[in-house]
Amino acid sequence: RRFRVRTAFNLVKAGSDGISAEINTNGAFAILEFTGALPRAQLFANWRTNANDEATMQEFISPAFDPQQTVLVSGEIPAPPSSASTNQSAGTVEITHYASKRIHLSASANMPSVLLLNDRFAPNWHVSVDGTPETLLRCNYWMRGVYLKPGPHTVVFWYQPPITGLYVSLAAIAVGLVLCGILAFASERAKVPAAPVEPVPAHPKFKT
């Protein structure tokens, strides 16, 4: 029961060969809203850890699991506060900058919390809290997260490929540039005509 109609409409002919949408409360078509979708970023005061990925997946898809109240975390993390309740707000979080490889968030945690960012987890993603690198958490099997202590925080997620791969790429580019330089130099030398060789005059002692 978490789907609801936002706008009903009919499809009508527009022009010679076009189709347009016409809003109509009794229309045959509708735009639906799913009210159970999680926000892009959220703080959780309740979490459970599980080192077994298969068990995490089974719990996540279980009808008994409520993703609005609890987040599943893979990896080492402190236990949730014993005082936390399901109806207690862990705090607020807001995305202040969003790009494909860098995301800034402003968070205010009322208690120890897990910040869940509903973007896909990958090992080359990193995270910092108030300018200090922190452990990137894999949350709800697919998503990224980070542990936060109480208080205001600036959180940055950024994507960075492995340094070794970067060095290999730079070395390949350098070798390519050197080879291009060698080929260009050899080509220019081939275009320069050889200087004529002048005959060496005979020594007077050996004149005949």
Side-chain angles (χ1 to χ4, degrees):
R1 305 193 177 192
R2 292 181 293 180
F3 288 94
R4 64 182 180 183
V5 175
R6 293 295 298 177
T7 303
F9 62 93
N10 283 322
L11 296 178
V12 296
K13 187 175 181 180
S16 58
D17 56 355
I19 295 177
S20 179
E22 182 180 75
I23 296 177
N24 187 323
T25 55
N26 298 317
F29 304 94
I31 297 174
L32 301 179
E33 178 185 9
F34 177 58
T35 61
L38 292 173
R40 178 56 62 90
Q42 183 176 346
L43 292 180
F44 288 85
N46 294 284
W47 60 86
R48 289 200 289 274
T49 59
N50 199 327
N52 187 308
D53 288 344
E54 181 63 26
T56 300
M57 172 62 73
Q58 293 302 319
E59 183 174 5
F60 184 74
I61 63 177
S62 169
F65 177 70
D66 185 359
Q68 299 282 359
Q69 300 295 334
T70 305
V71 61
L72 304 178
V73 179
S74 299
E76 295 184 2
I77 184 177
S82 56
S83 60
S85 61
T86 55
N87 59 357
Q88 187 175 7
S89 173
T92 59
V93 58
E94 178 186 4
I95 297 176
T96 58
H97 171 78
Y98 191 94
S100 60
K101 295 185 178 181
R102 193 172 184 89
I103 303 162
H104 296 202
L105 303 99
S106 177
S108 180
N110 298 330
M111 61 191 71
S113 308
V114 170
L115 191 163
L116 168 67
L117 178 65
N118 279 306
D119 273 357
R120 189 174 178 83
F121 177 92
N124 291 334
W125 278 95
H126 307 270
V127 62
S128 67
V129 177
D130 301 326
T132 302
E134 296 292 346
T135 302
L136 180 70
L137 302 176
R138 183 154 63 95
C139 299
N140 290 346
Y141 192 84
W142 289 283
M143 306 305 175
R144 303 195 297 270
V146 65
Y147 174 79
L148 296 181
K149 295 179 180 179
H153 300 287
T154 298
V155 181
V156 178
F157 291 87
W158 77 95
Y159 183 85
Q160 180 178 329
I163 298 299
T164 54
L166 179 62
Y167 284 158
V168 170
S169 298
L170 291 176
I173 293 172
V175 170
L177 291 175
V178 170
L179 290 176
C180 289
I182 292 174
L183 292 174
F185 180 74
S187 177
E188 289 297 325
R189 289 199 60 184
K191 296 177 182 179
V192 176
V197 179
E198 297 183 2
V200 179
H203 196 277
K205 182 178 178 180
F206 299 101
K207 285 184 177 179
T208 55

